[in-house]
Every structure is written in C-alpha cells, then in structure tokens.
Amino acid sequence: MMYHLYHIPGKKIGVTCDLNNRVTKQQGYKADEYEVLLSSDDIDYISNMEIQLQKAHGYKVDRKLYKNLKPITDMKINVTEQTTTFPVPVNKLKGRLMDNIGMSWNTEHGELNITTATIDWIMKNVKTSMYNNDRSYVYNKAFARFYDNNDVYPRTGALSMGSKASKKPLKMFENIREWARVRGLYDEGNPHTQYVKLQEEAGELAKALLKDDQVEVVDAIGDMVVVLTNLAHLRGVNIETCITSAYNVINKRTGKMVNGTFVKDE
C-alpha cells in the first residue's frame, strides 16, 4: 500500500493512503489546495516523517504515530427486519461512513453496503433514533429499493443523462469483484494504485500489438478489464454502469473514419 504525506498550507500535515476520500471528500480540500510532500510504501518511514515535518512547520503534533493508529472500521450496526441502526448521531455519521467504505451487511431485502454513492443516499434519508439521540437509522426496504431503481450511482457527468445499469450485474463482473474482495483488494487498495496498474497493463497490450501476439493481446485486454472493474468498484460504481453510460453517449454520435480512426461530427 502507498502512503501519502500531505500538507494543507496553514492548516495541517497528515498521512493517508487515499487522498481523494480523506482530503477531498472528508476535509473538503480540492487538489490545488493541498500538496503531497512524500509518498512511500514504508509506513515506518512515512509515520516518522509526519511527526518531524509537523514539528518543523509548527503544526499540532499527533500523539500517536500514524502506523499505530487503529482505524475505525466495521461499525457495530444493529440490523432488524425494518431498519439498520448506526452507533453515531446524524451529525457525525458521514465521517464514520467514509471510514467504513466497503462495509456490507445482509437484510431481508438483500445485501446493503457503504460506497461513496450510497453514503449520499444514507445522509439524505437517515433519521435520529427516537430512543437515543446518539444513534441514527435508515429503512432497509427503502435502501434496497435504491439499488433496484439503479439510483445507487452518482448522477454526475454522463450518468446524469438518464443512463442506467442492468438490474442484474453480469456474472463475470460479479466473479471479478468477489475475487478481489476475498483477496482484500477493496480493503487495502485504492483507485490510484489501480490506475497505475491499468497503465502497466496498457503497456503490455502495446507490446503484444507490436509483436502481433494474439494470445498476449487477449490476455492484456482481459487484465485491463479486471483492473477497470476493481477501479470502478473502489470509486463506488459498478463497471456495468460505466459501460452503459458510455454507450448511451456514443450510440447517438455520427461521424466518419479518418486514417483508421472514427472522428465524431461537431
């Protein structure tokens, strides 16, 4: 895993293995509002550097080394026939959900899980427990219907044009996701590492094409699809939805072939 030592000028120096979720989504800073000072897969080195740089820049120094912090994961939720109850109040729920991305649980209405997309739905529909103000809950049936209606994915960019994924994910993609889940890729990996992996596989495809090696071409394309499936999942969206979204855009395009490439009309 790659750890990043980041600096928000005038605010803090910290460490994370997921800049997008930790700095952008949770803390609200855009990419041009912070800088990455160091990146390393050596957690001991990055932990010690965090403390040294916090002292050097006059920021608050963490009491514990990053490597000794125990992340708050796998919330002890309470699942009944009707509801899923979270052990935190509404005003603290979003941060706790962000810390538990990838977590899933079973209900009578099917499996539910936490992704960047479902967090949005949960926060719009969560209610404070009538028995304890420090607890909050959502209705399982409504949450499950959210999936059934294909609204589980962020409605931004191309997805806002009304594209929808198949209600039943393709078995092969489900197999890929299960393979990755069992091996801890969704717990330990992140979109950035998957992007680097995608570039590696693209390089293998380029070599295979140059050598006219059909076996390696098939293998490289397959590897790229696997990586893209996992990258999409880590971003809280199924690859089936990405493909559907892209097709809904290109199937309306007109154009012509120029030097072996399709050039769309303006």
Side-chain angles (χ1 to χ4, degrees), residues 45-104:
Y45 170 70
I46 212 77
S47 296
N48 289 324
M49 287 303 300
E50 178 188 28
I51 300 299
Q52 290 182 33
L53 290 175
Q54 285 174 341
K55 292 179 179 178
H57 286 76
Y59 292 121
K60 179 180 178 181
V61 178
D62 291 344
R63 294 182 178 180
K64 290 185 178 181
L65 290 173
Y66 178 81
K67 65 178 181 178
N68 295 330
L69 294 177
K70 294 183 178 180
I72 304 174
T73 57
D74 292 336
M75 287 185 292
K76 294 182 179 180
I77 60 176
N78 181 44
V79 181
T80 67
E81 179 181 354
Q82 291 191 329
T83 64
T84 291
T85 300
F86 305 102
V88 289
V90 173
N91 64 343
K92 295 183 179 180
L93 180 59
K94 186 171 184 179
R96 194 67 173 272
L97 293 172
M98 293 297 293
D99 288 335
N100 284 271
I101 285 180
M103 179 180 174
S104 62

Short mmCIF file of all heavy atoms in Angstrom, two decimals, residues 45-104:
data_model
loop_
_atom_site.label_atom_id
_atom_site.label_comp_id
_atom_site.label_asym_id
_atom_site.label_seq_id
_atom_site.Cartn_x
_atom_site.Cartn_y
_atom_site.Cartn_z
N TYR A 45 8.69 4.78 7.83
CA TYR A 45 9.33 5.99 7.33
C TYR A 45 8.34 7.14 7.25
O TYR A 45 8.61 8.25 7.73
CB TYR A 45 9.93 5.71 5.95
CG TYR A 45 10.42 6.95 5.24
CD1 TYR A 45 11.54 7.64 5.68
CD2 TYR A 45 9.74 7.42 4.10
CE1 TYR A 45 11.98 8.78 5.01
CE2 TYR A 45 10.18 8.56 3.44
CZ TYR A 45 11.29 9.23 3.89
OH TYR A 45 11.72 10.36 3.24
N ILE A 46 7.18 6.88 6.66
CA ILE A 46 6.20 7.95 6.47
C ILE A 46 5.65 8.43 7.81
O ILE A 46 5.36 9.60 7.99
CB ILE A 46 5.07 7.49 5.52
CG1 ILE A 46 4.54 8.68 4.70
CG2 ILE A 46 3.95 6.82 6.26
CD1 ILE A 46 5.42 9.10 3.57
N SER A 47 5.51 7.51 8.78
CA SER A 47 5.00 7.88 10.10
C SER A 47 5.97 8.80 10.83
O SER A 47 5.57 9.79 11.45
CB SER A 47 4.74 6.62 10.94
OG SER A 47 3.73 5.82 10.37
N ASN A 48 7.25 8.47 10.76
CA ASN A 48 8.27 9.29 11.41
C ASN A 48 8.41 10.65 10.74
O ASN A 48 8.58 11.68 11.42
CB ASN A 48 9.61 8.56 11.41
CG ASN A 48 9.62 7.36 12.36
OD1 ASN A 48 9.01 7.41 13.42
ND2 ASN A 48 10.30 6.30 11.97
N MET A 49 8.31 10.68 9.41
CA MET A 49 8.42 11.94 8.69
C MET A 49 7.25 12.86 9.00
O MET A 49 7.40 14.09 9.04
CB MET A 49 8.51 11.68 7.18
CG MET A 49 9.84 11.11 6.72
SD MET A 49 11.25 12.16 7.18
CE MET A 49 10.85 13.69 6.34
N GLU A 50 6.07 12.29 9.21
CA GLU A 50 4.91 13.10 9.55
C GLU A 50 5.18 13.91 10.83
O GLU A 50 4.94 15.13 10.88
CB GLU A 50 3.68 12.23 9.74
CG GLU A 50 2.44 13.03 10.16
CD GLU A 50 1.26 12.16 10.54
OE1 GLU A 50 1.49 11.01 11.01
OE2 GLU A 50 0.12 12.61 10.39
N ILE A 51 5.68 13.22 11.86
CA ILE A 51 5.96 13.89 13.13
C ILE A 51 7.03 14.96 12.96
O ILE A 51 6.91 16.08 13.47
CB ILE A 51 6.40 12.86 14.20
CG1 ILE A 51 5.30 11.82 14.42
CG2 ILE A 51 6.73 13.57 15.50
CD1 ILE A 51 3.99 12.38 14.91
N GLN A 52 8.10 14.61 12.22
CA GLN A 52 9.21 15.56 12.03
C GLN A 52 8.74 16.82 11.31
O GLN A 52 9.10 17.94 11.69
CB GLN A 52 10.33 14.89 11.23
CG GLN A 52 11.06 13.79 12.01
CD GLN A 52 12.20 13.19 11.19
OE1 GLN A 52 12.83 13.87 10.39
NE2 GLN A 52 12.44 11.90 11.39
N LEU A 53 7.95 16.66 10.28
CA LEU A 53 7.50 17.81 9.50
C LEU A 53 6.44 18.62 10.24
O LEU A 53 6.36 19.84 10.07
CB LEU A 53 6.96 17.34 8.14
CG LEU A 53 8.04 16.81 7.18
CD1 LEU A 53 7.42 16.27 5.90
CD2 LEU A 53 9.03 17.93 6.83
N GLN A 54 5.63 17.95 11.04
CA GLN A 54 4.66 18.70 11.86
C GLN A 54 5.40 19.63 12.82
O GLN A 54 5.01 20.79 12.99
CB GLN A 54 3.78 17.72 12.65
CG GLN A 54 2.71 17.03 11.80
CD GLN A 54 1.94 15.97 12.56
OE1 GLN A 54 2.40 15.47 13.59
NE2 GLN A 54 0.79 15.59 12.05
N LYS A 55 6.47 19.12 13.42
CA LYS A 55 7.28 19.94 14.33
C LYS A 55 7.98 21.06 13.57
O LYS A 55 8.01 22.21 14.03
CB LYS A 55 8.32 19.06 15.04
CG LYS A 55 7.73 18.07 16.02
CD LYS A 55 8.83 17.22 16.65
CE LYS A 55 8.28 16.23 17.67
NZ LYS A 55 9.35 15.39 18.26
N ALA A 56 8.54 20.74 12.41
CA ALA A 56 9.30 21.72 11.64
C ALA A 56 8.43 22.88 11.15
O ALA A 56 8.88 24.03 11.07
CB ALA A 56 9.96 21.03 10.44
N HIS A 57 7.15 22.59 10.84
CA HIS A 57 6.25 23.63 10.33
C HIS A 57 5.40 24.26 11.42
O HIS A 57 4.58 25.14 11.15
CB HIS A 57 5.33 23.05 9.25
CG HIS A 57 6.03 22.79 7.94
ND1 HIS A 57 6.87 21.72 7.74
CD2 HIS A 57 6.01 23.48 6.77
CE1 HIS A 57 7.33 21.75 6.50
NE2 HIS A 57 6.83 22.81 5.90
N GLY A 58 5.58 23.81 12.67
CA GLY A 58 4.84 24.41 13.78
C GLY A 58 3.40 23.99 13.88
O GLY A 58 2.59 24.70 14.50
N TYR A 59 3.06 22.84 13.30
CA TYR A 59 1.69 22.36 13.38
C TYR A 59 1.50 21.47 14.62
O TYR A 59 2.47 21.02 15.24
CB TYR A 59 1.31 21.54 12.15
CG TYR A 59 1.23 22.35 10.87
CD1 TYR A 59 2.03 22.04 9.79
CD2 TYR A 59 0.32 23.40 10.77
CE1 TYR A 59 1.95 22.78 8.61
CE2 TYR A 59 0.23 24.14 9.60
CZ TYR A 59 1.04 23.83 8.53
OH TYR A 59 0.97 24.57 7.38
N LYS A 60 0.25 21.22 14.96
CA LYS A 60 -0.05 20.31 16.07
C LYS A 60 0.55 18.95 15.76
O LYS A 60 0.38 18.41 14.67
CB LYS A 60 -1.57 20.19 16.24
CG LYS A 60 -1.97 19.25 17.36
CD LYS A 60 -3.49 19.18 17.48
CE LYS A 60 -3.88 18.20 18.58
NZ LYS A 60 -5.38 18.10 18.71
N VAL A 61 1.26 18.39 16.74
CA VAL A 61 1.93 17.10 16.54
C VAL A 61 1.02 15.97 17.03
O VAL A 61 0.48 16.02 18.14
CB VAL A 61 3.27 17.05 17.31
CG1 VAL A 61 3.93 15.69 17.14
CG2 VAL A 61 4.19 18.16 16.80
N ASP A 62 0.82 14.98 16.17
CA ASP A 62 -0.03 13.84 16.54
C ASP A 62 0.54 13.10 17.75
O ASP A 62 1.76 12.92 17.86
CB ASP A 62 -0.16 12.86 15.37
CG ASP A 62 -0.98 13.44 14.23
OD1 ASP A 62 -1.68 14.44 14.46
OD2 ASP A 62 -0.91 12.90 13.12
N ARG A 63 -0.33 12.68 18.63
CA ARG A 63 0.11 11.97 19.83
C ARG A 63 0.64 10.58 19.50
O ARG A 63 1.53 10.06 20.17
CB ARG A 63 -1.04 11.87 20.83
CG ARG A 63 -1.49 13.20 21.40
CD ARG A 63 -2.60 13.01 22.42
NE ARG A 63 -3.02 14.28 23.01
CZ ARG A 63 -3.97 14.39 23.93
NH1 ARG A 63 -4.59 13.30 24.36
NH2 ARG A 63 -4.29 15.57 24.42
N LYS A 64 0.06 9.97 18.49
CA LYS A 64 0.48 8.62 18.09
C LYS A 64 1.01 8.63 16.67
O LYS A 64 0.56 9.41 15.83
CB LYS A 64 -0.69 7.64 18.17
CG LYS A 64 -1.17 7.33 19.58
CD LYS A 64 -2.26 6.26 19.53
CE LYS A 64 -2.73 5.88 20.92
NZ LYS A 64 -3.78 4.82 20.87
N LEU A 65 1.99 7.78 16.41
CA LEU A 65 2.47 7.61 15.04
C LEU A 65 1.34 7.07 14.18
O LEU A 65 0.50 6.29 14.65
CB LEU A 65 3.66 6.65 15.00
CG LEU A 65 4.97 7.15 15.61
CD1 LEU A 65 5.98 6.01 15.64
CD2 LEU A 65 5.54 8.31 14.82
N TYR A 66 1.33 7.47 12.93
CA TYR A 66 0.28 7.01 12.00
C TYR A 66 0.18 5.49 11.98
O TYR A 66 -0.91 4.93 11.96
CB TYR A 66 0.58 7.54 10.59
CG TYR A 66 -0.40 7.07 9.55
CD1 TYR A 66 -1.63 7.70 9.40
CD2 TYR A 66 -0.10 6.00 8.71
CE1 TYR A 66 -2.54 7.28 8.44
CE2 TYR A 66 -1.01 5.57 7.75
CZ TYR A 66 -2.22 6.21 7.62
OH TYR A 66 -3.10 5.77 6.67
N LYS A 67 1.35 4.81 12.02
CA LYS A 67 1.35 3.36 11.94
C LYS A 67 0.68 2.70 13.15
O LYS A 67 0.29 1.54 13.08
CB LYS A 67 2.79 2.83 11.81
CG LYS A 67 3.66 3.09 13.04
CD LYS A 67 5.04 2.51 12.86
CE LYS A 67 5.92 2.73 14.09
NZ LYS A 67 7.26 2.13 13.93
N ASN A 68 0.56 3.44 14.25
CA ASN A 68 -0.04 2.88 15.46
C ASN A 68 -1.52 3.20 15.62
O ASN A 68 -2.16 2.77 16.57
CB ASN A 68 0.71 3.39 16.70
CG ASN A 68 2.14 2.89 16.75
OD1 ASN A 68 2.45 1.81 16.26
ND2 ASN A 68 3.03 3.68 17.32
N LEU A 69 -2.03 4.00 14.69
CA LEU A 69 -3.45 4.34 14.75
C LEU A 69 -4.29 3.15 14.32
O LEU A 69 -3.96 2.45 13.37
CB LEU A 69 -3.76 5.54 13.84
CG LEU A 69 -3.12 6.87 14.22
CD1 LEU A 69 -3.47 7.92 13.18
CD2 LEU A 69 -3.60 7.32 15.59
N LYS A 70 -5.37 2.92 15.02
CA LYS A 70 -6.30 1.84 14.66
C LYS A 70 -7.52 2.46 14.01
O LYS A 70 -8.29 3.16 14.65
CB LYS A 70 -6.71 1.04 15.90
CG LYS A 70 -5.57 0.28 16.53
CD LYS A 70 -6.05 -0.54 17.72
CE LYS A 70 -4.90 -1.34 18.32
NZ LYS A 70 -5.35 -2.14 19.49
N PRO A 71 -7.68 2.25 12.70
CA PRO A 71 -8.82 2.85 12.00
C PRO A 71 -10.16 2.35 12.55
O PRO A 71 -10.27 1.20 12.96
CB PRO A 71 -8.62 2.41 10.54
CG PRO A 71 -7.81 1.16 10.64
CD PRO A 71 -6.90 1.36 11.82
N ILE A 72 -11.14 3.25 12.55
CA ILE A 72 -12.48 2.87 13.00
C ILE A 72 -13.20 2.23 11.83
O ILE A 72 -13.67 2.91 10.91
CB ILE A 72 -13.25 4.11 13.48
CG1 ILE A 72 -12.47 4.81 14.57
CG2 ILE A 72 -14.64 3.74 13.97
CD1 ILE A 72 -13.09 6.13 15.02
N THR A 73 -13.24 0.91 11.81
CA THR A 73 -13.88 0.21 10.72
C THR A 73 -14.89 -0.79 11.25
O THR A 73 -14.91 -1.12 12.43
CB THR A 73 -12.84 -0.53 9.85
OG1 THR A 73 -12.10 -1.42 10.70
CG2 THR A 73 -11.88 0.44 9.21
N ASP A 74 -15.72 -1.29 10.35
CA ASP A 74 -16.73 -2.27 10.72
C ASP A 74 -17.55 -1.81 11.91
O ASP A 74 -17.46 -2.35 13.01
CB ASP A 74 -16.08 -3.63 11.02
CG ASP A 74 -15.49 -4.26 9.77
OD1 ASP A 74 -15.97 -3.91 8.68
OD2 ASP A 74 -14.60 -5.09 9.88
N MET A 75 -18.35 -0.81 11.69
CA MET A 75 -19.22 -0.31 12.74
C MET A 75 -20.11 -1.43 13.27
O MET A 75 -20.54 -2.30 12.52
CB MET A 75 -20.12 0.80 12.18
CG MET A 75 -19.45 2.09 11.91
SD MET A 75 -20.65 3.37 11.39
CE MET A 75 -21.15 2.72 9.79
N LYS A 76 -20.40 -1.37 14.54
CA LYS A 76 -21.29 -2.35 15.14
C LYS A 76 -22.72 -1.88 14.96
O LYS A 76 -23.35 -1.33 15.86
CB LYS A 76 -20.94 -2.54 16.62
CG LYS A 76 -19.58 -3.16 16.85
CD LYS A 76 -19.30 -3.37 18.34
CE LYS A 76 -17.94 -4.03 18.54
NZ LYS A 76 -17.62 -4.24 19.98
N ILE A 77 -23.22 -2.11 13.75
CA ILE A 77 -24.58 -1.68 13.43
C ILE A 77 -25.58 -2.69 13.97
O ILE A 77 -25.25 -3.85 14.23
CB ILE A 77 -24.76 -1.51 11.91
CG1 ILE A 77 -24.50 -2.85 11.19
CG2 ILE A 77 -23.84 -0.43 11.38
CD1 ILE A 77 -24.76 -2.80 9.72
N ASN A 78 -26.81 -2.25 14.11
CA ASN A 78 -27.89 -3.13 14.55
C ASN A 78 -28.90 -3.26 13.41
O ASN A 78 -29.49 -2.28 12.96
CB ASN A 78 -28.58 -2.55 15.79
CG ASN A 78 -29.68 -3.45 16.30
OD1 ASN A 78 -29.52 -4.67 16.37
ND2 ASN A 78 -30.82 -2.87 16.64
N VAL A 79 -29.06 -4.48 12.93
CA VAL A 79 -29.94 -4.73 11.78
C VAL A 79 -31.18 -5.49 12.23
O VAL A 79 -31.08 -6.56 12.83
CB VAL A 79 -29.21 -5.54 10.69
CG1 VAL A 79 -30.13 -5.76 9.49
CG2 VAL A 79 -27.93 -4.83 10.26
N THR A 80 -32.35 -4.91 11.97
CA THR A 80 -33.61 -5.58 12.24
C THR A 80 -34.33 -5.81 10.92
O THR A 80 -33.79 -5.48 9.85
CB THR A 80 -34.50 -4.73 13.17
OG1 THR A 80 -34.90 -3.54 12.47
CG2 THR A 80 -33.75 -4.33 14.43
N GLU A 81 -35.54 -6.33 10.98
CA GLU A 81 -36.29 -6.57 9.75
C GLU A 81 -36.55 -5.27 9.00
O GLU A 81 -36.49 -5.23 7.77
CB GLU A 81 -37.63 -7.24 10.07
CG GLU A 81 -38.50 -7.50 8.84
CD GLU A 81 -39.82 -8.13 9.20
OE1 GLU A 81 -40.02 -8.49 10.38
OE2 GLU A 81 -40.67 -8.28 8.31
N GLN A 82 -36.78 -4.20 9.75
CA GLN A 82 -37.14 -2.94 9.11
C GLN A 82 -36.00 -1.95 8.95
O GLN A 82 -35.95 -1.22 7.96
CB GLN A 82 -38.26 -2.26 9.91
CG GLN A 82 -39.60 -2.96 9.85
CD GLN A 82 -40.70 -2.11 10.44
OE1 GLN A 82 -40.47 -1.32 11.35
NE2 GLN A 82 -41.90 -2.26 9.92
N THR A 83 -35.07 -1.92 9.89
CA THR A 83 -34.08 -0.85 9.88
C THR A 83 -32.64 -1.32 10.08
O THR A 83 -32.39 -2.41 10.57
CB THR A 83 -34.37 0.19 10.98
OG1 THR A 83 -34.25 -0.47 12.26
CG2 THR A 83 -35.76 0.76 10.83
N THR A 84 -31.72 -0.44 9.70
CA THR A 84 -30.30 -0.57 10.04
C THR A 84 -29.96 0.65 10.88
O THR A 84 -30.15 1.80 10.44
CB THR A 84 -29.42 -0.58 8.78
OG1 THR A 84 -29.64 -1.79 8.05
CG2 THR A 84 -27.94 -0.50 9.17
N THR A 85 -29.47 0.41 12.10
CA THR A 85 -29.16 1.50 13.02
C THR A 85 -27.65 1.65 13.17
O THR A 85 -26.94 0.67 13.39
CB THR A 85 -29.79 1.24 14.40
OG1 THR A 85 -31.22 1.14 14.25
CG2 THR A 85 -29.48 2.39 15.35
N PHE A 86 -27.18 2.89 13.05
CA PHE A 86 -25.76 3.20 13.17
C PHE A 86 -25.46 3.72 14.58
O PHE A 86 -26.28 4.47 15.15
CB PHE A 86 -25.35 4.23 12.13
CG PHE A 86 -25.70 3.84 10.72
CD1 PHE A 86 -26.80 4.38 10.08
CD2 PHE A 86 -24.92 2.91 10.05
CE1 PHE A 86 -27.12 4.01 8.79
CE2 PHE A 86 -25.23 2.53 8.75
CZ PHE A 86 -26.34 3.08 8.12
N PRO A 87 -24.30 3.40 15.14
CA PRO A 87 -23.98 3.78 16.53
C PRO A 87 -23.44 5.20 16.69
O PRO A 87 -22.63 5.47 17.56
CB PRO A 87 -22.90 2.75 16.91
CG PRO A 87 -22.18 2.52 15.62
CD PRO A 87 -23.25 2.54 14.56
N VAL A 88 -23.89 6.11 15.82
CA VAL A 88 -23.45 7.51 15.90
C VAL A 88 -24.61 8.44 15.56
O VAL A 88 -25.54 8.04 14.85
CB VAL A 88 -22.29 7.79 14.92
CG1 VAL A 88 -21.02 7.14 15.37
CG2 VAL A 88 -22.65 7.33 13.52
N PRO A 89 -24.59 9.68 16.05
CA PRO A 89 -25.64 10.64 15.72
C PRO A 89 -25.51 11.09 14.27
O PRO A 89 -24.47 10.92 13.63
CB PRO A 89 -25.38 11.79 16.69
CG PRO A 89 -23.92 11.71 16.99
CD PRO A 89 -23.62 10.24 17.01
N VAL A 90 -26.56 11.68 13.75
CA VAL A 90 -26.59 12.10 12.35
C VAL A 90 -25.44 13.05 12.01
O VAL A 90 -24.82 12.93 10.95
CB VAL A 90 -27.94 12.77 12.02
CG1 VAL A 90 -27.91 13.37 10.62
CG2 VAL A 90 -29.08 11.76 12.13
N ASN A 91 -25.12 13.98 12.90
CA ASN A 91 -24.09 14.99 12.58
C ASN A 91 -22.68 14.41 12.52
O ASN A 91 -21.76 15.08 12.08
CB ASN A 91 -24.16 16.15 13.58
CG ASN A 91 -23.84 15.72 15.00
OD1 ASN A 91 -23.87 14.54 15.34
ND2 ASN A 91 -23.53 16.69 15.85
N LYS A 92 -22.49 13.16 12.95
CA LYS A 92 -21.19 12.52 12.87
C LYS A 92 -21.18 11.30 11.95
O LYS A 92 -20.16 10.64 11.78
CB LYS A 92 -20.72 12.10 14.27
CG LYS A 92 -20.47 13.27 15.21
CD LYS A 92 -19.95 12.79 16.56
CE LYS A 92 -19.67 13.96 17.49
NZ LYS A 92 -19.17 13.50 18.81
N LEU A 93 -22.34 11.02 11.38
CA LEU A 93 -22.49 9.79 10.61
C LEU A 93 -21.67 9.78 9.32
O LEU A 93 -21.05 8.77 8.99
CB LEU A 93 -23.96 9.56 10.28
CG LEU A 93 -24.28 8.29 9.47
CD1 LEU A 93 -23.80 7.05 10.20
CD2 LEU A 93 -25.77 8.21 9.17
N LYS A 94 -21.65 10.88 8.58
CA LYS A 94 -20.98 10.87 7.28
C LYS A 94 -19.50 10.50 7.40
O LYS A 94 -18.98 9.69 6.64
CB LYS A 94 -21.12 12.23 6.58
CG LYS A 94 -20.57 12.19 5.15
CD LYS A 94 -20.91 13.47 4.39
CE LYS A 94 -20.43 13.37 2.95
NZ LYS A 94 -20.77 14.58 2.17
N GLY A 95 -18.82 11.10 8.37
CA GLY A 95 -17.40 10.79 8.55
C GLY A 95 -17.20 9.33 8.90
O GLY A 95 -16.26 8.70 8.41
N ARG A 96 -18.08 8.79 9.72
CA ARG A 96 -17.97 7.39 10.11
C ARG A 96 -18.23 6.47 8.92
O ARG A 96 -17.57 5.44 8.76
CB ARG A 96 -18.96 7.10 11.23
CG ARG A 96 -18.73 5.78 11.95
CD ARG A 96 -17.43 5.77 12.75
NE ARG A 96 -17.33 4.57 13.55
CZ ARG A 96 -17.84 4.44 14.77
NH1 ARG A 96 -18.45 5.48 15.34
NH2 ARG A 96 -17.71 3.31 15.42
N LEU A 97 -19.18 6.85 8.09
CA LEU A 97 -19.45 6.07 6.88
C LEU A 97 -18.25 6.10 5.94
O LEU A 97 -17.89 5.07 5.34
CB LEU A 97 -20.69 6.61 6.17
CG LEU A 97 -22.03 6.45 6.88
CD1 LEU A 97 -23.13 7.21 6.14
CD2 LEU A 97 -22.39 4.97 7.02
N MET A 98 -17.62 7.26 5.80
CA MET A 98 -16.45 7.38 4.92
C MET A 98 -15.33 6.47 5.41
O MET A 98 -14.59 5.90 4.61
CB MET A 98 -15.96 8.83 4.88
CG MET A 98 -16.92 9.80 4.22
SD MET A 98 -17.21 9.47 2.48
CE MET A 98 -15.60 9.81 1.79
N ASP A 99 -15.21 6.31 6.73
CA ASP A 99 -14.18 5.45 7.29
C ASP A 99 -14.49 3.97 7.06
O ASP A 99 -13.62 3.12 7.23
CB ASP A 99 -14.04 5.69 8.80
CG ASP A 99 -13.38 7.02 9.11
OD1 ASP A 99 -12.64 7.52 8.26
OD2 ASP A 99 -13.63 7.55 10.21
N ASN A 100 -15.73 3.67 6.70
CA ASN A 100 -16.15 2.28 6.55
C ASN A 100 -16.57 1.93 5.13
O ASN A 100 -17.36 0.99 4.92
CB ASN A 100 -17.30 1.99 7.52
CG ASN A 100 -16.83 1.83 8.95
OD1 ASN A 100 -16.49 0.74 9.38
ND2 ASN A 100 -16.79 2.93 9.69
N ILE A 101 -16.08 2.68 4.15
CA ILE A 101 -16.40 2.37 2.76
C ILE A 101 -15.99 0.93 2.44
O ILE A 101 -14.88 0.51 2.75
CB ILE A 101 -15.69 3.36 1.80
CG1 ILE A 101 -16.40 4.71 1.85
CG2 ILE A 101 -15.68 2.83 0.37
CD1 ILE A 101 -15.79 5.76 0.95
N GLY A 102 -16.89 0.19 1.82
CA GLY A 102 -16.63 -1.21 1.50
C GLY A 102 -17.36 -2.16 2.43
O GLY A 102 -17.52 -3.35 2.12
N MET A 103 -17.83 -1.66 3.57
CA MET A 103 -18.55 -2.49 4.53
C MET A 103 -19.90 -2.89 3.95
O MET A 103 -20.56 -2.12 3.27
CB MET A 103 -18.75 -1.70 5.83
CG MET A 103 -19.51 -2.45 6.90
SD MET A 103 -19.69 -1.42 8.39
CE MET A 103 -20.75 -2.47 9.37
N SER A 104 -20.34 -4.13 4.20
CA SER A 104 -21.64 -4.59 3.71
C SER A 104 -22.31 -5.45 4.77
O SER A 104 -21.66 -5.97 5.67
CB SER A 104 -21.46 -5.40 2.41
OG SER A 104 -20.66 -6.54 2.63
#
